[in-house]
Structure formats: C-alpha cells, structure tokens
Amino acid sequence: MLIRRPSDVLPSEITSRELYQGRRHFLQQGAGLALTGAAALGMPWTAAQAAALKGFMPDKSPHPDDKPTPLKDVTSYNNYYEFGVDKDEPAKNVGAFKLRPWTVTVDGLCNKPKTFGIEDLLKFAPLEERIYRMRCVEGWSMVIPWIGFQLGALLRAVEPQGSAKFVEFTTAFDSKTMPGVKYAVLDWPYKEGLRLDEAKHPLTLLALGLYGEELLAQNGAPIRLVVPWKYGFKGAKSIVHIRLVEKMPATAWNKAAPNEYGFYSNVNPAVDHPRWSQATERRIGEFSKRKTLPFNGYSEVASLYSGMDLKKFF
Ligand SMILES: Nc1nc2c(c(=O)[nH]1)N[C@H]1C(S)=C(S)[C@@H](COP(=O)(O)O)O[C@H]1N2
Ligand SMILES: [Mo]
C-alpha cells in the first residue's frame, strides 16, 4: 500500500477472470487445493478436524449481488507482506512457513489468560460459515465464504477485566521462512487492533478456513481475524498473540503512515485515502466498478460509532 500505488486493479493484474460457475466447479477446485495444501504443509489437519470444516460450502450468498469470488483468486491474489509485496508472491513464497505446532496466547487485562493450541481452537466454539464482502483499502474487493467462530466467544472465555478497552493482535514473525520481513516495509511483527466492543461484535470472526477447507498460508493460516466492515488490513493473518489492553494499541499500518491508515479503518466512501478516492471499488473478477458502501454494507455496526466524527476517526 505504501510502496506501490494500486489504487485500482488493472485487468492485467487479475490472475483469474473465471466467473462463478456453480458448486461443482468449487468442489473440484477445492479438492485439488486441499491436496496441494496438505502436501505442501506436510501436516494436514486430522480427519476429525477436516470433518469439522467439511460441509461448509457456499450454496448461496446473503445477497444475490455478492457471488463468492472464485477460490483461485481468493488464494492467489493476496496481501501478506511478510511473503512479498506483490499480490502473487504470498502464494508462491509460503512453502517453508510452518503451520504446526501453533499456539495463540490470549492474555493482558483478563482473569483467565491462556495459551491455546490450534487444535483446541478448532473445537473451541461452533464453527460457522459466513459469506462476507471484503474491501481492501487499495480499491478492490472480494466475497469470501469464511469458516470460523466469533472472536467474542474466545474473549469471554478469558474474562476481560473492566479496565480492558482494546484488543491487540500480533502475528507470526519468522525471518527464516518469511522472505518479505528482510525489508523494513512495516515494523514487524505485523500488529493490528480493535476496540473491545468491535472485537466482541458478532460479525467479528477468527477464521480457520474458507470454501469448506482449512485456510492456506497465504490467507492467514492457521488462524486470522476477519472484520468485514473494515478495510482488509485490519484482518491480521497468522495470529500468535491476542492481548487485552487499556490504551489504543499501535498498529503496523498506522505506524507506517498515520495520515493514510487510521486506527478505525472503517470502510467509508465519504473519506478518501489521501492519495486516491474510496468512493468505488472493483470486485475481483468483474470489470466495471461498484459503489463502495458505508461500513462495507454492514450498516448494523453503525451504532458502535454513534456520536463519533468518522472523518476525524478514520
Ligand atoms: N500478517 C499480515 N496480515 C495481513 C496483511 C499482511 O501484510 N500481513 N495484509 C492485510 C491486507 S492489506 C489485506 S487486504 C488482507 C488480505 O487478506 P486475503 O489475502 O486473505 O484476502 O490481509 C491483511 N492481513
Ligand atoms: Mo488491504
């Protein structure tokens, strides 16, 4: 976002132009990817874990205008700067990144801090499929059928204390397997944050899978944040630490360019990025632009911000 200026997606940058071809198509692609993914990781999920994810296939979107973006695009057109700044680099460079063993520590201002193994997290709360619109601050969007559970359930389990007002997310950092971290594009490890009420909102997910399969590393495996009413960079990938804090945490993009990337980062067509408009977006796989909606269309979150000047708190 800083080094390149992809305020718009050129058709030549779009790796796949396949349109939605129905469920069979997804199943075929999904099966192929599952094999590649398992082989590449050398450590597939157990049968029970895979079974828990199976059965989540996008039969229909909540809105007829929001057809799920082809799996191929979701897994090959990515932002994950630890693996390179170009959209095709994460998928190519994640090969050596180890997804097991994996733990997520949840601590800070809470009564029951705990380190969870990823296997425990899979069983932690009922998994749900949510087909969400995702809007990148660069001006492109996708529709992704996520599988995950509500972050709020995990937070309740550790019993936040009254002084906890924000949640800080820290993601994986490994210079041996992440070729992008040798460049000081961002202050590694990548960090993000939410206000506690945003974190507890039922739309806010910790995702473990998409399209009925375990997440691939380029999408933030084994566990990543999904906040559909905010710009994509809020969705921290490959989380290792979740901390309840009193003060607004420093976040990677805000540190890198505070005038361009605010803490709130709510999708807002009325607040332009200093270098480009946010009024429209290009859905990957489509050629004409769409109007960007306030809160990315998730107007039910508006009450979280009542009384706030969203031009100031962008
Ligand atoms: N750790 C980490 N998380 C990250 C990023 C990153 O560079 N590093 N990029 C963010 C950005 S800018 C976007 S748009 C989304 C993209 O998620 P996707 O590739 O699964 O669509 O991941 C976000 N999470
Ligand atoms: Mo993004």
Side-chain angles (χ1 to χ4, degrees), residues 63-221:
H63 195 282
D65 264 1
D66 292 329
K67 289 178 188 152
T69 302
L71 178 63
K72 197 170 173 225
D73 293 327
V74 175
T75 55
S76 64
Y77 188 89
N78 301 104
N79 272 334
Y80 198 161
Y81 277 24
E82 289 87 330
F83 295 101
V85 296
D86 288 329
K87 299 286 179 282
D88 60 338
E89 285 184 298
K92 288 179 187 159
N93 291 340
V94 291
F97 185 54
K98 291 197 176 53
L99 301 177
R100 298 292 186 282
W102 193 279
T103 58
V104 180
T105 298
V106 190
D107 63 6
L109 301 170
C110 61
N111 296 330
K112 295 183 171 170
K114 189 175 169 179
T115 294
F116 295 85
I118 191 68
E119 290 76 12
D120 302 331
L121 287 172
L122 185 71
K123 289 176 271 173
F124 181 79
L127 293 176
E128 302 174 43
E129 183 187 67
R130 301 275 187 87
I131 302 177
Y132 279 164
R133 276 173 238 127
M134 307 303 296
R135 170 64 154 80
C136 177
V137 73
E138 294 165 356
W140 50 270
S141 63
M142 296 194 190
V143 176
I144 302 185
W146 298 106
I147 295 158
F149 60 87
Q150 293 181 23
L151 171 62
L154 184 62
L155 295 177
R156 273 195 299 282
V158 300
E159 296 181 6
Q161 293 166 356
S163 52
K165 299 284 182 256
F166 292 90
V167 187
E168 177 194 71
F169 304 86
T170 305
T171 75
F173 174 87
D174 179 26
S175 52
K176 287 200 189 70
T177 58
M178 295 175 148
V181 300
K182 58 176 172 287
Y183 306 103
V185 191
L186 293 170
D187 186 6
W188 315 112
Y190 191 103
K191 288 192 187 211
E192 257 308 334
L194 293 172
R195 218 170 53 191
L196 185 58
D197 59 342
E198 299 176 320
K200 293 198 308 203
H201 194 280
L203 284 175
T204 303
L205 293 191
L206 283 174
L208 299 150
L210 56 78
Y211 268 114
E213 302 284 344
E214 176 182 358
L215 284 180
L216 294 180
Q218 59 266 38
N219 292 108

